[in-house]
């Protein structure tokens, strides 16, 4: 029954709720930037499974504690390539930054090894880059 709840959750998110990918570098700084990742952490493998129904995530640069708070700014990345390898133990993906967003609220989904989600506010398209 728990799996059924998680499956329902995976397919019923609102369009302003996305998984969060933290990284300690500015891989993407602005709209139109491309990103390539090789993911292997269990929480990000779960994120890849979820992106089968909505191919987007929030890239959130974080140099301290791999978390975000209300008001933090990140980029929505739309996935244009996602390839599992090593029997699904890793994913190689590519995507493009499409919008700046701010965190409205955030949480960790139980049973996902620490996969963070955030409800987001879209920011004005006039914003130029993260610093």
């Amino acid at each position: 029954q728990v799996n059924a709840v998680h499956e329902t959750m995976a397919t019923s998110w609102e369009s302003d709720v996305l998984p969060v990918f933290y990284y300690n570098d500015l891989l993407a700084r602005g709209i139109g930037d491309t990103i390539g990742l090789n993911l292997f952490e269990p929480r990000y493998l779960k994120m890849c499974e979820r992106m089968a129904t909505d191919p987007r995530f929030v890239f959130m640069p974080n140099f301290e504690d791999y978390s975000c708070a209300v008001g933090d700014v990140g980029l929505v990345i739309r996935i244009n390539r996602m390839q599992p390898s090593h029997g699904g133990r890793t994913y190689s993906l590519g995507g493009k930054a499409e919008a700046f967003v701010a965190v409205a609220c955030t949480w960790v989904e139980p049973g996902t090894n620490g996969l963070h989600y955030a409800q987001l506010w879209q920011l004005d398209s006039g914003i130029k880059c993260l610093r």
Side-chain angles (χ1 to χ4, degrees), residues 21-120:
F21 174 76
Y22 299 104
Y23 199 70
N24 59 359
D25 196 355
L26 286 176
L27 297 175
R29 294 175 181 264
I31 296 171
D33 286 357
T34 59
I35 191 170
L37 298 168
N38 291 306
L39 303 177
F40 56 88
E41 289 183 42
R43 63 182 168 168
Y44 295 135
L45 297 179
K46 179 59 73 177
M47 180 178 82
C48 289
E49 291 173 16
R50 301 282 170 78
M51 288 191 300
T53 57
D54 183 353
R56 301 175 304 146
F57 67 90
V58 177
F59 169 68
M60 186 67 62
N62 186 292
F63 299 89
E64 295 175 16
D65 60 2
Y66 297 98
S67 65
C68 58
V70 173
D72 285 353
V73 174
L75 282 160
V76 173
I77 306 293
R78 180 168 297 276
I79 299 304
N80 54 31
R81 175 184 53 80
M82 185 166 61
Q83 180 68 41
S85 59
H86 299 97
R89 292 190 316 259
T90 65
Y91 277 84
S92 174
L93 55 88
K96 189 173 186 178
E98 67 177 19
F100 281 102
V101 290
V103 174
C105 66
T106 184
W107 64 94
V108 177
E109 182 183 341
T112 62
N113 293 300
L115 180 58
H116 290 231
Y117 276 86
Q119 184 174 25
L120 307 161

